[in-house]
Amino acid sequence: MSAVPPHRPQGPITSQFGAREPAYLAGLNAEQREAVETTEGPLLVLAGAGTGKTRVLTTRIAHILATHKARGNQILAVTFTNKAAREMKERIGKLVGASVEGMPWLGTFHSIGARLIRRHAELVGLRPDFTILDTDDQIRLIKQLLAAENIDEKRWPARQFASMMDGWKNRGLLPRDISPADAGFFANGKGQKIYKDYQARLKTLNAADFGDLLLEGIRLFKENPEILAQYHDRFRYMLVDEYQDSNTAQYMWLRLLAQSRDGINSANICVVGDDDQSIYGWRGAEVDNILRFEKDFPGAKIIKLERNYRSTSNILAAASHLIAHNESRLGKTLQTDVGEEGEKLSVTKVWSGAEEAREIGEEIEQYQRQGDPLNDMAILVRASFQMREFEERFITLGLNYRVVGGLRFYERKEIRDALAYLRVIANPNDDLAFERMVNVPKRGFGPATMQIVHDIARAADIPLTSAIRELLETEELKPKPRSTFRELIRQIDDWASRLHTIPHYEVAEQVLDESGYTEMLKADKSADAPGRLENLKELTRSMGEFDNLGGFLEHISLVMDRDTGEADDAVSIMTLHSAKGLEFNTVFLPGWEEGIFPHQRALDESGLAGLEEERRLAYVGITRARKRCRISFASNRIIYGRVQDALPSRFVDELPPEAIETIDKGSSYGGYTYGGRASTRFDARDPFESVYETPGWQRAQRQQSARKGPGPITIDGDLVARSSGPSAAYAVGERVFHLKFGYGTVSSAEGNKLSIDFEKAGPKKVLDSFVKRG
Ligand code: ATP
Ligand code: MG
């Protein structure tokens, strides 16, 4: 095994370092150092948060490179996110004193899995340039397959199948491996066939979905031992971070690669993890993978790291005390090496969610004034809908923030869709909004139908909704789209008129329900659908903070208009799940209320196991903090459109009293009654400060588009007619030609509508712009 050194290591290296050891080893404690230097054979580093697991992995790679045990391209290193992979490369670069090129196998399971099957695409029935399908494509494909099997999609939704299949793929199951019991869940036992057809279709399309990136790799290795042997030779060292969150397919894939080359000696695989931070059970992660490492890799060495270098002792005490409430855990000792007790954690009771955002905003500004960079602060929420309140507040304050691992609230698809409906109601001339909502949920308007509408609108320079109104008086459209359009326009008018009689936020709820949007999401069985529904509730809830729909929409356009360029210094907002592995000086953990955290769904669906996973999330949250951890809960929370008394999370009671300081701001607003939505608009202490300004929104409302002269009409690119202005241009008795209905004679004319007796199609009402002289 002679490897060419890719980099000159920093500092001199003598035989096993002799007198002078390399700089990268200095500063490691004895156990960490042992983990770094035990390069041969299987190794498990099982340790609590902040003990330097990731640091060990990084240093270990640097060590392997520096001691020429392997070249960069002979090391397989798996991280949890692409961001983590980039950071790891940077850190290794710093350690070995060179930029780390040539580590093509450092990345996430997905990215490495894709790279691997691209190299052998033909063996798994693909071409090297195969596409990776996103969820939407996946659903579309499943729908086609369901239709082909005459399976009623209403009864057996495509998304339900998608998430079932995801589960199979996470467990490493090919179509042939599905047990009849498993397959029986869907469409009276047709699950297996659809899965099989789906995989076959993917091959025809030269495509793979996310699950395939590993599943096909597993198949490749099993069916082609000689290929697997190549990789046994190639990957001299394998390293995996966050091993507690690996699922079965990932485990199988790794295990195949890590099988001993000669059947005697074990592979050089090092995995690091923390059973207390296993938070992806809901996505098929198997914490057992970490527990059975010893069994799978006989002779495995286990190293425990017990010194925490991240957090103060108060923070660590709180996290340890909390997680001790879990029954299923290995149990670990954790001592801080930070050497200071530090501030106590604070648990603040606030009045409402809006109040919570204000308090946190103020605190952040205060820390900022003291010189703390915003980059060192993070707000970690349980569910993404909780972000809105903070985003709004920070925009008002002009405080830079970034949403890590997801979109900003108003950029989310469901929010944009809902806003499109509201914009159309507020302003029927808003064509962009109309186009966005017209087929969401699906109403069956095809491209040809929409083309006709567009042509009319463009020719007469009128908005799309007006063009449809005109078309409705004719027979230009087929009966089906005509009646669907008629219903839609009726609904839009109806919703708009309700704005005069009932509060705009209620109208918004009705719009979402009556349009079928809510139902569409409810029928959606994908993992993110419930979160989307929550986001919509949060949207309608937030509308109550404005006097009317116009004010709300004006506010949104200002918010969306904001420069989205990344600021150098910004507070991070993210979910607890995305925060894994990261650290910040100051961490805010808002919304510690029963139902939100622990999340009701986790409790309902998974009982005690769900609760314990929630508790691990809380543990992850607290242990992200280096110096300061600020927990809060509101005593009133609007959930599902209603103000509800919120109960503090049970996790609050599970914190050790000696490590926390409780602050009560929730009852300091004497006389301030939370009368519902509109009252959140003012800060109780400063009733004249409007949180949201709504300057001159009226201007934005209902701007009639100026009508210009007639323009040409095209269908599928062909000029078929010119908008002819008043139909007086056509005389009764005149012979005309209509693209769809053919020749006919004008029997009467009214405005721009003509009644024509068509020679073949019989009498019809059409728009004058669609006929030309025969
Ligand atoms: P998590 O479980 O959250 O992923 P981890 O075990 O991976 O945590 P790291 O992120 O590697 O922990 O390390 C936590 C912090 O402690 C980092 O800032 C790291 O640089 C620092 N650290 C780790 N080991 C040492 C050490 N021996 N001396 C000083 N600082 C250290
Ligand atoms: Mg880590």
Side-chain angles (χ1 to χ4, degrees), residues 181-221:
D182 260 349
F185 277 120
F186 193 83
N188 307 321
K190 286 200 181 148
Q192 187 170 22
K193 168 144 198 331
I194 298 167
Y195 183 16
K196 190 158 162 255
D197 293 351
Y198 173 88
Q199 292 301 93
R201 275 294 288 158
L202 286 187
K203 300 296 181 288
T204 318
L205 296 170
N206 190 31
D209 64 17
F210 274 103
D212 283 351
L213 300 179
L214 289 178
L215 195 66
E216 292 294 0
I218 295 171
R219 192 160 71 91
L220 171 80
F221 292 151

CSV table of all heavy atoms in Angstrom, one decimal, residues 181-221:
chain,number,residue,atom,x,y,z
A,181,ALA,N,-47.5,-9.2,2.9
A,181,ALA,CA,-48.2,-8.4,3.9
A,181,ALA,C,-48.0,-6.9,3.7
A,181,ALA,O,-48.9,-6.1,3.8
A,181,ALA,CB,-47.7,-8.8,5.3
A,182,ASP,N,-46.7,-6.5,3.4
A,182,ASP,CA,-46.3,-5.2,3.2
A,182,ASP,C,-47.0,-4.6,2.0
A,182,ASP,O,-47.6,-3.5,2.0
A,182,ASP,CB,-44.8,-5.0,2.9
A,182,ASP,CG,-44.1,-4.6,4.2
A,182,ASP,OD1,-44.8,-4.2,5.1
A,182,ASP,OD2,-42.9,-4.6,4.2
A,183,ALA,N,-47.0,-5.4,0.9
A,183,ALA,CA,-47.6,-5.0,-0.4
A,183,ALA,C,-49.1,-4.9,-0.3
A,183,ALA,O,-49.7,-4.1,-0.9
A,183,ALA,CB,-47.2,-5.9,-1.5
A,184,GLY,N,-49.7,-5.7,0.6
A,184,GLY,CA,-51.1,-5.7,0.8
A,184,GLY,C,-51.8,-4.4,1.2
A,184,GLY,O,-52.9,-4.2,1.1
A,185,PHE,N,-50.9,-3.5,1.8
A,185,PHE,CA,-51.5,-2.3,2.3
A,185,PHE,C,-52.1,-1.4,1.2
A,185,PHE,O,-52.9,-0.6,1.5
A,185,PHE,CB,-50.4,-1.5,3.0
A,185,PHE,CG,-50.2,-1.9,4.4
A,185,PHE,CD1,-48.9,-2.4,4.8
A,185,PHE,CD2,-51.2,-1.9,5.4
A,185,PHE,CE1,-48.7,-2.8,6.1
A,185,PHE,CE2,-51.0,-2.3,6.7
A,185,PHE,CZ,-49.8,-2.7,7.1
A,186,PHE,N,-51.5,-1.5,0.0
A,186,PHE,CA,-51.9,-0.6,-1.0
A,186,PHE,C,-52.7,-1.2,-2.1
A,186,PHE,O,-52.3,-2.3,-2.6
A,186,PHE,CB,-50.7,0.1,-1.5
A,186,PHE,CG,-51.0,1.3,-2.3
A,186,PHE,CD1,-51.2,2.5,-1.7
A,186,PHE,CD2,-51.0,1.2,-3.7
A,186,PHE,CE1,-51.5,3.7,-2.5
A,186,PHE,CE2,-51.3,2.4,-4.5
A,186,PHE,CZ,-51.5,3.6,-3.8
A,187,ALA,N,-53.8,-0.6,-2.4
A,187,ALA,CA,-54.6,-1.0,-3.6
A,187,ALA,C,-54.8,-2.5,-3.7
A,187,ALA,O,-54.5,-3.1,-4.7
A,187,ALA,CB,-54.0,-0.5,-4.9
A,188,ASN,N,-55.3,-3.1,-2.6
A,188,ASN,CA,-55.6,-4.5,-2.6
A,188,ASN,C,-54.5,-5.4,-3.1
A,188,ASN,O,-54.7,-6.3,-3.9
A,188,ASN,CB,-56.9,-4.8,-3.4
A,188,ASN,CG,-58.0,-3.9,-2.9
A,188,ASN,OD1,-58.1,-3.7,-1.7
A,188,ASN,ND2,-58.8,-3.4,-3.9
A,189,GLY,N,-53.3,-5.2,-2.6
A,189,GLY,CA,-52.2,-6.0,-2.9
A,189,GLY,C,-51.4,-5.7,-4.1
A,189,GLY,O,-50.6,-6.4,-4.6
A,190,LYS,N,-51.8,-4.6,-4.8
A,190,LYS,CA,-51.1,-4.2,-6.0
A,190,LYS,C,-49.8,-3.5,-5.8
A,190,LYS,O,-49.1,-3.1,-6.7
A,190,LYS,CB,-52.0,-3.4,-6.9
A,190,LYS,CG,-53.1,-4.2,-7.5
A,190,LYS,CD,-53.7,-3.6,-8.8
A,190,LYS,CE,-54.8,-4.4,-9.4
A,190,LYS,NZ,-55.8,-3.5,-10.0
A,191,GLY,N,-49.5,-3.2,-4.5
A,191,GLY,CA,-48.3,-2.4,-4.2
A,191,GLY,C,-47.0,-2.9,-4.8
A,191,GLY,O,-46.3,-2.1,-5.4
A,192,GLN,N,-46.8,-4.2,-4.8
A,192,GLN,CA,-45.6,-4.8,-5.3
A,192,GLN,C,-45.5,-4.6,-6.8
A,192,GLN,O,-44.4,-4.2,-7.3
A,192,GLN,CB,-45.6,-6.3,-4.9
A,192,GLN,CG,-44.3,-6.9,-5.3
A,192,GLN,CD,-44.2,-8.3,-4.7
A,192,GLN,OE1,-45.2,-8.9,-4.4
A,192,GLN,NE2,-43.0,-8.8,-4.5
A,193,LYS,N,-46.6,-4.8,-7.5
A,193,LYS,CA,-46.6,-4.7,-8.9
A,193,LYS,C,-46.3,-3.2,-9.3
A,193,LYS,O,-45.5,-2.9,-10.2
A,193,LYS,CB,-47.9,-5.1,-9.5
A,193,LYS,CG,-48.1,-4.7,-11.0
A,193,LYS,CD,-48.9,-5.8,-11.8
A,193,LYS,CE,-48.7,-5.7,-13.3
A,193,LYS,NZ,-48.5,-4.4,-13.9
A,194,ILE,N,-46.9,-2.3,-8.6
A,194,ILE,CA,-46.7,-0.9,-9.0
A,194,ILE,C,-45.2,-0.5,-8.7
A,194,ILE,O,-44.6,0.2,-9.5
A,194,ILE,CB,-47.6,0.0,-8.2
A,194,ILE,CG1,-49.1,-0.3,-8.6
A,194,ILE,CG2,-47.4,1.5,-8.5
A,194,ILE,CD1,-50.1,0.3,-7.7
A,195,TYR,N,-44.7,-1.0,-7.6
A,195,TYR,CA,-43.3,-0.7,-7.3
A,195,TYR,C,-42.4,-1.3,-8.4
A,195,TYR,O,-41.5,-0.6,-8.9
A,195,TYR,CB,-43.0,-1.4,-6.0
A,195,TYR,CG,-41.5,-1.1,-5.4
A,195,TYR,CD1,-40.7,-0.1,-6.0
A,195,TYR,CD2,-41.0,-1.9,-4.4
A,195,TYR,CE1,-39.4,0.1,-5.5
A,195,TYR,CE2,-39.7,-1.7,-3.9
A,195,TYR,CZ,-38.9,-0.8,-4.4
A,195,TYR,OH,-37.7,-0.6,-4.0
A,196,LYS,N,-42.7,-2.5,-8.9
A,196,LYS,CA,-41.9,-3.1,-9.9
A,196,LYS,C,-42.0,-2.3,-11.2
A,196,LYS,O,-41.0,-2.0,-11.9
A,196,LYS,CB,-42.5,-4.5,-10.2
A,196,LYS,CG,-41.6,-5.4,-11.0
A,196,LYS,CD,-41.9,-6.8,-10.8
A,196,LYS,CE,-41.4,-7.7,-11.9
A,196,LYS,NZ,-42.5,-8.2,-12.8
A,197,ASP,N,-43.3,-1.9,-11.6
A,197,ASP,CA,-43.5,-1.1,-12.8
A,197,ASP,C,-42.8,0.2,-12.7
A,197,ASP,O,-42.2,0.7,-13.7
A,197,ASP,CB,-45.0,-0.9,-13.0
A,197,ASP,CG,-45.7,-2.2,-13.4
A,197,ASP,OD1,-45.0,-3.2,-13.6
A,197,ASP,OD2,-47.0,-2.2,-13.4
A,198,TYR,N,-42.9,0.8,-11.5
A,198,TYR,CA,-42.2,2.1,-11.3
A,198,TYR,C,-40.7,2.0,-11.5
A,198,TYR,O,-40.2,2.8,-12.3
A,198,TYR,CB,-42.5,2.5,-9.8
A,198,TYR,CG,-41.8,3.8,-9.4
A,198,TYR,CD1,-42.3,5.0,-9.6
A,198,TYR,CD2,-40.6,3.7,-8.7
A,198,TYR,CE1,-41.7,6.2,-9.1
A,198,TYR,CE2,-39.9,4.8,-8.3
A,198,TYR,CZ,-40.5,6.0,-8.5
A,198,TYR,OH,-39.8,7.2,-8.0
A,199,GLN,N,-40.1,1.0,-11.0
A,199,GLN,CA,-38.7,0.8,-11.2
A,199,GLN,C,-38.3,0.6,-12.7
A,199,GLN,O,-37.4,1.2,-13.2
A,199,GLN,CB,-38.1,-0.3,-10.4
A,199,GLN,CG,-38.1,-0.2,-8.9
A,199,GLN,CD,-37.3,1.1,-8.4
A,199,GLN,OE1,-37.9,2.1,-8.2
A,199,GLN,NE2,-36.1,0.9,-8.2
A,200,ALA,N,-39.2,-0.1,-13.4
A,200,ALA,CA,-39.0,-0.4,-14.8
A,200,ALA,C,-39.1,1.0,-15.6
A,200,ALA,O,-38.3,1.2,-16.5
A,200,ALA,CB,-40.0,-1.4,-15.3
A,201,ARG,N,-40.1,1.7,-15.2
A,201,ARG,CA,-40.3,3.0,-15.9
A,201,ARG,C,-39.1,3.9,-15.7
A,201,ARG,O,-38.7,4.6,-16.6
A,201,ARG,CB,-41.6,3.7,-15.3
A,201,ARG,CG,-42.9,3.3,-15.9
A,201,ARG,CD,-43.0,3.7,-17.4
A,201,ARG,NE,-43.2,5.2,-17.6
A,201,ARG,CZ,-42.9,5.8,-18.7
A,201,ARG,NH1,-42.4,5.1,-19.8
A,201,ARG,NH2,-43.1,7.1,-18.9
A,202,LEU,N,-38.6,3.9,-14.5
A,202,LEU,CA,-37.4,4.8,-14.2
A,202,LEU,C,-36.3,4.4,-15.2
A,202,LEU,O,-35.6,5.3,-15.7
A,202,LEU,CB,-37.0,4.6,-12.8
A,202,LEU,CG,-37.8,5.3,-11.7
A,202,LEU,CD1,-37.1,5.1,-10.3
A,202,LEU,CD2,-38.1,6.7,-11.9
A,203,LYS,N,-36.1,3.2,-15.4
A,203,LYS,CA,-35.0,2.8,-16.3
A,203,LYS,C,-35.3,3.3,-17.7
A,203,LYS,O,-34.4,3.7,-18.4
A,203,LYS,CB,-34.9,1.2,-16.3
A,203,LYS,CG,-34.6,0.6,-14.9
A,203,LYS,CD,-33.3,1.1,-14.4
A,203,LYS,CE,-32.9,0.5,-13.0
A,203,LYS,NZ,-33.6,1.0,-11.9
A,204,THR,N,-36.6,3.1,-18.1
A,204,THR,CA,-36.9,3.6,-19.5
A,204,THR,C,-36.6,5.1,-19.6
A,204,THR,O,-36.1,5.7,-20.6
A,204,THR,CB,-38.4,3.4,-19.8
A,204,THR,OG1,-38.7,2.1,-19.3
A,204,THR,CG2,-38.7,3.6,-21.2
A,205,LEU,N,-36.9,5.8,-18.5
A,205,LEU,CA,-36.7,7.3,-18.5
A,205,LEU,C,-35.3,7.7,-18.2
A,205,LEU,O,-35.0,8.9,-18.2
A,205,LEU,CB,-37.6,7.9,-17.4
A,205,LEU,CG,-39.1,7.8,-17.5
A,205,LEU,CD1,-39.8,8.3,-16.3
A,205,LEU,CD2,-39.6,8.7,-18.7
A,206,ASN,N,-34.4,6.7,-18.0
A,206,ASN,CA,-33.1,7.0,-17.6
A,206,ASN,C,-33.0,7.9,-16.3
A,206,ASN,O,-32.4,8.9,-16.3
A,206,ASN,CB,-32.3,7.6,-18.7
A,206,ASN,CG,-30.8,7.6,-18.4
A,206,ASN,OD1,-30.3,6.8,-17.7
A,206,ASN,ND2,-30.1,8.6,-19.0
A,207,ALA,N,-33.7,7.4,-15.3
A,207,ALA,CA,-33.8,8.3,-14.1
A,207,ALA,C,-33.8,7.4,-12.9
A,207,ALA,O,-34.0,6.2,-12.9
A,207,ALA,CB,-35.2,9.0,-14.1
A,208,ALA,N,-33.4,8.1,-11.8
A,208,ALA,CA,-33.4,7.4,-10.5
A,208,ALA,C,-34.0,8.4,-9.5
A,208,ALA,O,-33.9,9.6,-9.6
A,208,ALA,CB,-31.9,7.1,-10.1
A,209,ASP,N,-34.6,7.8,-8.4
A,209,ASP,CA,-35.1,8.7,-7.4
A,209,ASP,C,-34.1,8.6,-6.2
A,209,ASP,O,-33.1,7.9,-6.3
A,209,ASP,CB,-36.5,8.4,-6.9
A,209,ASP,CG,-36.7,7.0,-6.3
A,209,ASP,OD1,-35.6,6.4,-5.9
A,209,ASP,OD2,-37.8,6.5,-6.2
A,210,PHE,N,-34.3,9.4,-5.2
A,210,PHE,CA,-33.3,9.5,-4.1
A,210,PHE,C,-33.0,8.1,-3.5
A,210,PHE,O,-31.9,7.8,-3.2
A,210,PHE,CB,-33.7,10.5,-3.1
A,210,PHE,CG,-33.3,11.9,-3.4
A,210,PHE,CD1,-34.2,12.8,-3.9
A,210,PHE,CD2,-32.0,12.3,-3.3
A,210,PHE,CE1,-33.8,14.1,-4.3
A,210,PHE,CE2,-31.6,13.5,-3.6
A,210,PHE,CZ,-32.5,14.5,-4.1
A,211,GLY,N,-34.1,7.4,-3.3
A,211,GLY,CA,-33.9,6.1,-2.6
A,211,GLY,C,-33.0,5.2,-3.5
A,211,GLY,O,-32.2,4.4,-3.0
A,212,ASP,N,-33.1,5.3,-4.8
A,212,ASP,CA,-32.4,4.5,-5.7
A,212,ASP,C,-30.9,4.7,-5.6
A,212,ASP,O,-30.1,3.8,-5.9
A,212,ASP,CB,-32.8,4.7,-7.2
A,212,ASP,CG,-34.1,4.1,-7.5
A,212,ASP,OD1,-34.6,3.3,-6.7
A,212,ASP,OD2,-34.6,4.3,-8.6
A,213,LEU,N,-30.5,5.9,-5.2
A,213,LEU,CA,-29.1,6.2,-5.2
A,213,LEU,C,-28.3,5.2,-4.3
A,213,LEU,O,-27.1,4.9,-4.6
A,213,LEU,CB,-28.8,7.6,-4.7
A,213,LEU,CG,-29.5,8.7,-5.6
A,213,LEU,CD1,-29.3,10.1,-5.1
A,213,LEU,CD2,-29.1,8.6,-7.1
A,214,LEU,N,-28.9,4.7,-3.3
A,214,LEU,CA,-28.3,3.7,-2.4
A,214,LEU,C,-28.8,2.3,-2.8
A,214,LEU,O,-28.0,1.4,-2.9
A,214,LEU,CB,-28.6,3.9,-1.0
A,214,LEU,CG,-27.9,5.2,-0.4
A,214,LEU,CD1,-28.3,5.4,1.0
A,214,LEU,CD2,-26.4,5.0,-0.5
A,215,LEU,N,-30.1,2.2,-3.1
A,215,LEU,CA,-30.7,0.9,-3.4
A,215,LEU,C,-30.0,0.2,-4.6
A,215,LEU,O,-29.7,-0.9,-4.6
A,215,LEU,CB,-32.2,1.1,-3.6
A,215,LEU,CG,-33.0,-0.2,-3.6
A,215,LEU,CD1,-33.0,-0.8,-2.2
A,215,LEU,CD2,-34.4,0.1,-4.0
A,216,GLU,N,-29.8,1.1,-5.6
A,216,GLU,CA,-29.2,0.5,-6.8
A,216,GLU,C,-27.7,0.2,-6.6
A,216,GLU,O,-27.1,-0.7,-7.2
A,216,GLU,CB,-29.3,1.5,-8.0
A,216,GLU,CG,-30.8,1.6,-8.5
A,216,GLU,CD,-31.3,0.4,-9.1
A,216,GLU,OE1,-30.6,-0.7,-9.2
A,216,GLU,OE2,-32.5,0.4,-9.6
A,217,GLY,N,-27.1,0.9,-5.7
A,217,GLY,CA,-25.7,0.6,-5.3
A,217,GLY,C,-25.6,-0.7,-4.6
A,217,GLY,O,-24.7,-1.5,-4.9
A,218,ILE,N,-26.6,-1.0,-3.7
A,218,ILE,CA,-26.6,-2.2,-3.0
A,218,ILE,C,-26.8,-3.4,-4.0
A,218,ILE,O,-26.1,-4.4,-4.0
A,218,ILE,CB,-27.8,-2.2,-2.0
A,218,ILE,CG1,-27.5,-1.2,-0.9
A,218,ILE,CG2,-28.0,-3.6,-1.4
A,218,ILE,CD1,-28.7,-1.0,0.1
A,219,ARG,N,-27.7,-3.2,-5.0
A,219,ARG,CA,-28.0,-4.2,-6.0
A,219,ARG,C,-26.7,-4.4,-6.8
A,219,ARG,O,-26.3,-5.6,-7.1
A,219,ARG,CB,-29.1,-3.8,-6.9
A,219,ARG,CG,-29.6,-4.9,-7.8
A,219,ARG,CD,-31.0,-4.5,-8.2
A,219,ARG,NE,-31.1,-3.4,-9.2
A,219,ARG,CZ,-31.0,-3.6,-10.5
A,219,ARG,NH1,-30.8,-4.8,-11.0
A,219,ARG,NH2,-31.0,-2.6,-11.4
A,220,LEU,N,-26.1,-3.3,-7.2
A,220,LEU,CA,-24.9,-3.4,-8.0
A,220,LEU,C,-23.8,-4.2,-7.3
A,220,LEU,O,-23.2,-5.1,-7.9
A,220,LEU,CB,-24.3,-2.0,-8.2
A,220,LEU,CG,-22.9,-1.8,-8.8
A,220,LEU,CD1,-23.1,-2.0,-10.3
A,220,LEU,CD2,-22.3,-0.5,-8.5
A,221,PHE,N,-23.6,-4.0,-6.0
A,221,PHE,CA,-22.6,-4.7,-5.3
A,221,PHE,C,-22.9,-6.2,-5.1
A,221,PHE,O,-22.1,-7.1,-5.2
A,221,PHE,CB,-22.4,-4.1,-3.9
A,221,PHE,CG,-21.8,-2.8,-3.9
A,221,PHE,CD1,-22.1,-1.9,-2.8
A,221,PHE,CD2,-20.9,-2.4,-4.8
A,221,PHE,CE1,-21.5,-0.6,-2.8
A,221,PHE,CE2,-20.4,-1.1,-4.8
A,221,PHE,CZ,-20.7,-0.2,-3.8
